[in-house]
Amino acid sequence: METKDLYKVLEVSKGASQDEIRRSYRRLARKYHPDANPGDEGAEDRFKGIQQAYEILSNPEKRREYDEGPRQFFGAGNAGQGAGGGTTGADFQNFSDLSDLFGGFGNLGDVFGQATSNRRQASPKGEDVTVSVKLKFTEALEGVTTRVGVPVEEACGDCGGSGAAPGTSPRTCPQCGGRGTQSRDQGLFALSTACSRCGGRGSIVETPCSRCRGAGKTRGVRQVKVRIPAGARDGMKVRIPGRGGGGRSGGPAGDLFVVTRVEEHPVFKRKGDDFVVSVPVSFVEAALGAEIEAPRPGGGTVRLKLPAGTQNGKQFKVRGAGAPRTRKSGPERGDLIVRVDVVVPKKLKRREREILEALSEERDENVRAELFRRVGS
Ligand SMILES: [Zn+2]
Ligand SMILES: [Zn+2]
């Protein structure tokens, strides 16, 4: 295994105090957290390295061991903790420690990060469950706490998960004596297989529970409270650790992923963290210049100064009037992009027609001259 200088990883000196280590860890974890760097594998690796270093350096005993001989610590040291036990446990534990770093999402889940998706577990982890939640435009914009129904397998309420009818209990399997395995002699080798009578459980149910038919589990729908961060976009995945299906034999529960489905707005179109809005402008306003109002997502208006001679399709950027950013980097909000949509009158009154005819005479222009000049060259 590669040996890194854990002090360098955490950007502290060898003699750093526990407090300094903790502060540096929090700062780096924030910076390299997958939420802040979506799709950046370098940042994700860095994040994992930071967690691992912190796991060791924040523990005075482990830190001393590391100071005395880093090589040995990484080599034989982990073996006693079982396959992957040391670092795997650390990943998980430190990840939950991080919840307070991300105030907005911390309590109820964080935006989908891959950092913990490939951890190995000793006991089978419960299934990850994905559900979608429909949001109105303003709910997504302002953030909302909502409930989602999560289909989950739960221990049967009637038999308490044993599978035996209430008042009875499972009996030790007579065939395997509760071991759950059978041995068969195959020449030199004794082959161990799951017991054919109890299927490896070691116990049998004589009178199955009528509610779960002996399975010990029922399918139910659990209501889970989810906080959708302000600025959520369509198709965003919010991860809520430990709220998926229950794990077996003491294994951890799976994660819940909530995918947002945001209702389309008839006027504001989302583009990244920006909103785009088409605003009609009369051809006179476009020609003379004007001060106009444009609607702002979430209510209110913004004022815009159009210069004289504004062309159709011209875009103006109103900084900070877009969606709140769900990632904690850069400015707080995206921009509002106002696109000018020049409106030409469909009908003219007699006097208006006369004015325009006079204007036409005055300008005496051929707007296509330039086009045809370029065709010819
Ligand atoms: Zn039952
Ligand atoms: Zn058996």
Side-chain angles (χ1 to χ4, degrees), residues 126-205:
E127 54 178 354
D128 288 342
V129 180
T130 302
V131 297
S132 64
V133 61
K134 275 191 183 153
L135 300 173
K136 295 205 167 71
F137 178 78
T138 45
E139 289 177 326
L141 187 65
E142 289 159 14
V144 65
T145 299
T146 183
R147 283 173 186 280
V148 291
V150 181
V152 281
E153 264 190 350
E154 288 173 312
C156 170
D158 282 10
C159 62
S162 73
T168 71
S169 49
R171 185 160 79 84
T172 304
C173 172
Q175 190 166 310
C176 62
R179 286 188 308 277
T181 55
Q182 298 173 296
S183 310
R184 250 182 309 158
D185 272 336
Q186 299 270 318
L188 288 172
F189 305 100
L191 215 67
S192 188
T193 56
C195 169
S196 60
R197 176 88 192 268
C198 64
R201 281 185 302 275
S203 62
I204 52 170
V205 170

Side-chain angles (χ1 to χ4, degrees), residues 270-339:
R270 182 97 184 227
K271 200 175 160 196
D273 290 322
D274 300 338
F275 282 111
V276 181
V277 61
S278 270
V279 175
V281 169
S282 81
F283 78 113
V284 178
E285 287 174 323
L288 297 178
E291 207 170 295
I292 62 161
E293 279 190 339
R296 189 188 192 112
T301 56
V302 290
R303 290 195 76 80
L304 264 177
K305 221 174 181 154
L306 300 184
T310 295
Q311 302 296 304
N312 186 43
K314 171 91 181 159
Q315 299 192 350
F316 295 89
K317 194 179 268 186
V318 184
R319 292 212 182 275
R325 290 189 206 273
T326 53
R327 279 172 248 126
K328 306 283 184 218
S329 57
E332 296 249 296
R333 279 173 170 267
D335 305 325
L336 174 65
I337 293 162
V338 176
R339 198 167 52 209

Side-chain angles (χ1 to χ4, degrees), residues 156-164 166 209-218:
C156 170
D158 282 10
C159 62
S162 73
C209 162
S210 57
R211 186 165 167 211
C212 65
R213 296 200 200 91
K217 296 177 289 192
T218 48

